[in-house]
Amino acid sequence: MNEDRSELHEGLTRLADLASGDSTTTRLLEHVPSMVARVRHRRARRRAGTGLAAVGVAAATVGAFTLLGTPPTPIAPASQTQTSTSTSAVPTCGAPFEAAGAAPDDVAVSVGLDGAFARPTLSVTIVNQKLEGLAVDSAAGLTVLVVDDGVVVGELRAPAVVSGELGTNQVSQYVGSRGALQTCVPGTPNGQLPDGTYTVVGLVQATVQDAPTTLGGTGLPLVVSQGSMSTPAFDAAAAQASARASAAAQDLAAQRAMLATIQDLATEPFPACGSLVPGRSPTPPPTSSPLTLALGDVLLTAQTDGAQTVTGSGLLQATTGTVPADVPTTGVIALTKVGSVVAVVAPTSATDRVEIGRTGLDVPLEGTTLLCGSDGATRLPSGVYQAYAVVTVTNPVLPTADGSMGAPGDPITVVSAPVDVRIP
Amino acid sequence: MAGWDAELADLVRDRGAALVGYAYLLCGDRREAEDLVQDALVKTFARGRRTRGADADGPARNLEGYVRRAVLTTYLDGFRRRRRWAALRHLAVEPEGVVAHEDDAVDREDLAVALRTLPPRERACVVLRFYEDWTVAQIADALSLSQGSVKRYLSDGVHRLEDSLGLLPRSRAELDGEELAIEVRRTR
């Protein structure tokens, strides 16, 4: 094509030459410091994002736990059992039954059977006290086993009794009829059990952090007499209140301990350790502010020593025009509880001169889960905290009313709206 | 500045104008072209592209190739976002004119206007083929298109330009030569 350059090629070449012009290079060179700053921010952000596979925590969400079938009614007689989690297969009628291993107190499952064998009233109560990421598999549902001397002698499978996520300190109850109890006692017709005391166990198919799990109770007494079944009384409301009260008491104690640590430190403005959160709401900052800051995902990264680092990204934008300013290479994530900063890192002094426009500037953010004021010795207790992104820009040059640029002004601290973060 | 930031500054100084010219052909707006080049430079250097093992034209040329590729992808990635604004932009800003010269083979002002009539992919294909001298295969690879699609974009693009500029016989001949080699399948 060297010899036979088309008209189009020649036209495009001249057009490109003319469009680039003599002043283009000068204008671009003026933007080199800004581009260098943007590159640094992006590189820092990429570094901050490395190794996030360890633990990822975003805004806390508590999903509704859906009760399928009959709406909840006052719980039928039953009693609470401690519950274990396992991935073992569910035994069937006639198979030996062994209770799962040590029962953690994370989740309590109670199953009660009352009434006739052919159509017993099934009652299920699940109290999730502190198991994170629990969800019940609606397809697999619930299996109720009647056990006698370590052998399954009766079973009732109740698909889709309950379904969905169950957050911590939440209770789900179901009462209704889900079919007949199938039995397999030698010498006794199917559907019947000899009088006596048995053990009834509920196995709930669930997932914990997306891993399939069977929640299994260690068993409750089941009294069979004259063709009818009953389980001891179980006060579900009391169990629920107890679980919530226990969690609330723990939370309160943790908060008191935290606030006691930081109470004498609240002398510096936000986001210093112990300082109060400015009067902000989850709504965007006022439009009169020359800059806004939006906090994206907040990620907790597990460290080899068991501690965690908090990283995130913020989008710093000018509300109107362009605001040249010295922007820190890394912003701060402040974790707060009951309105006070409880964990924050010192802001960096390294800055880049950047033109902040309406398209925004990515600012990498850093924080910590170590309680401030404790010299790094205390980790924040588990729970939900409010995270704020904070970036202080210096020497900002705000556009004037006539469109010209004024002199560098006072530092501007930009604070994002809060985002809930759950620390495990 | 002694590392990558010096490299960036050198590239802007030596090749910034050429990059903006290339970007202008793609987007048709001088300011947007400068923004495109800046974004592409930031993307390229943020990835930490190294220039070791550069080609015979040297590291700067190799790095410029990365930036040109980034200009192209940034332009194509962003055209959907820009489309809405582009539809309204003429209401706020007069298109930047260029001074025509009588001896131009193709009047540049007309060409600038004609280019603006091309959809983004068509325009990219035309610029890459007739300005960057890329082969159809190279364009297809860069834009993740089949060679047949590239040929169709080129054919349609030249037709559109001819609607505005009149016949472009040598460009048409050049294009027709390639069309003989690759069957154009109108699948869409």
Side-chain angles (χ1 to χ4, degrees), chain A residues 110-302:
Chain A
S110 73
V111 175
L113 288 173
D114 290 272
F117 296 122
R119 193 172 177 78
T121 298
L122 171 65
S123 56
V124 180
T125 300
I126 304 174
V127 180
N128 182 11
Q129 298 186 33
K130 54 183 177 182
L131 196 59
E132 299 282 350
L134 173 63
V136 176
D137 183 347
S138 61
L142 171 77
T143 300
V144 179
L145 301 177
V146 177
V147 180
D148 184 26
D149 288 337
V151 176
V152 177
V153 296
E155 71 176 83
L156 186 157
R157 295 184 184 271
V161 171
V162 291
S163 173
E165 296 181 5
L166 184 62
T168 55
N169 301 320
Q170 283 193 326
V171 178
S172 173
Q173 300 174 355
Y174 168 83
V175 175
S177 178
R178 303 295 291 188
L181 177 69
Q182 305 297 318
T183 62
C184 52
V185 177
T188 303
N190 182 22
Q192 294 183 24
L193 289 173
D195 289 356
T197 300
Y198 301 81
T199 300
V200 61
V201 179
L203 302 175
V204 178
Q205 300 302 313
T207 57
V208 177
Q209 307 288 4
D210 296 327
T213 303
T214 300
L215 305 178
T218 52
L220 305 175
L222 175 72
V223 177
V224 176
S225 176
Q226 299 178 345
S228 180
M229 301 178 290
S230 65
T231 51
F234 169 58
D235 189 345
Q240 179 177 351
S242 173
R244 288 179 174 165
S246 172
Q250 290 177 9
D251 193 37
L252 186 60
Q255 286 182 26
R256 282 177 175 163
M258 280 193 299
L259 297 177
T261 304
I262 64 171
Q263 64 181 355
D264 296 330
L265 302 172
T267 56
E268 298 293 325
F270 184 81
C273 182
S275 62
L276 291 175
V277 173
R280 288 185 175 273
S281 67
T283 55
T287 53
S288 59
S289 171
L291 299 173
T292 63
L293 180 62
L295 174 58
D297 288 340
V298 177
L299 296 159
L300 303 186
T301 306

Side-chain angles (χ1 to χ4, degrees), chain A residues 16-40:
Chain A
D17 290 344
L18 189 64
S20 56
D22 296 335
S23 59
T24 301
T25 301
T26 305
R27 275 201 306 278
L28 271 184
L29 282 170
E30 289 172 357
H31 289 286
V32 165
S34 176
M35 284 189 276
V36 168
R38 289 170 64 192
V39 170
R40 283 193 182 134

Side-chain angles (χ1 to χ4, degrees), chain B:
Chain B
M1 292 193 293
W4 60 264
D5 42 357
E7 252 183 327
L8 192 155
D10 289 345
L11 186 61
V12 168
R13 186 177 301 106
D14 298 338
R15 301 297 301 163
L19 287 167
V20 170
Y22 168 57
Y24 173 80
L25 291 181
L26 290 171
C27 70
D29 182 276
R30 191 176 297 174
R31 287 179 184 164
E32 188 177 347
E34 291 182 11
D35 289 345
L36 266 179
V37 170
Q38 288 187 48
D39 288 346
L41 285 165
V42 169
K43 279 184 183 177
T44 304
F45 280 85
R47 288 191 208 108
R49 291 283 193 201
R50 305 309 306 154
T51 56
R52 286 190 291 269
D55 57 26
D57 293 327
R61 179 71 176 176
N62 194 27
L63 191 55
E64 184 186 349
Y66 283 125
V67 177
R68 282 183 178 248
R69 185 63 67 95
V71 167
L72 176 64
T73 54
T74 305
Y75 163 69
L76 290 173
D77 290 345
F79 81 84
R80 289 188 184 86
R81 288 196 304 272
R82 292 192 304 269
R83 186 162 49 194
R84 186 175 174 193
W85 165 240
L88 302 171
R89 185 170 48 193
H90 67 281
L91 301 174
V93 181
E94 285 297 317
E96 290 186 68
V98 291
V99 179
H101 295 268
E102 290 181 357
D103 59 349
D104 282 357
V106 174
D107 184 285
R108 287 177 296 201
E109 189 168 14
D110 291 345
L111 179 56
V113 172
L115 274 176
R116 274 196 281 270
T117 66
L118 304 189
R121 287 194 184 280
E122 232 172 74
R123 182 177 180 133
C125 288
V126 166
V127 170
L128 294 175
R129 179 69 191 94
F130 294 104
Y131 176 69
E132 292 281 82
D133 290 345
W134 285 17
T135 66
V136 169
Q138 286 173 317
I139 299 170
D141 181 54
L143 302 185
S144 299
L145 296 171
S146 69
Q147 293 191 29
S149 296
V150 172
K151 294 289 293 182
R152 180 161 51 84
Y153 282 131
L154 284 171
S155 176
D156 292 349
V158 170
H159 276 302
R160 279 185 216 270
L161 292 177
E162 285 179 335
D163 287 343
S164 304
L165 305 172
L167 274 178
L168 300 168
R170 276 188 286 171
S171 302
R172 168 61 53 194
E174 188 177 300
L175 188 59
D176 287 344
E178 288 180 343
E179 281 177 338
L180 291 175
I182 302 169
E183 181 185 359
V184 179
R185 294 183 179 176
R186 293 180 182 271
T187 56
R188 283 182 284 180

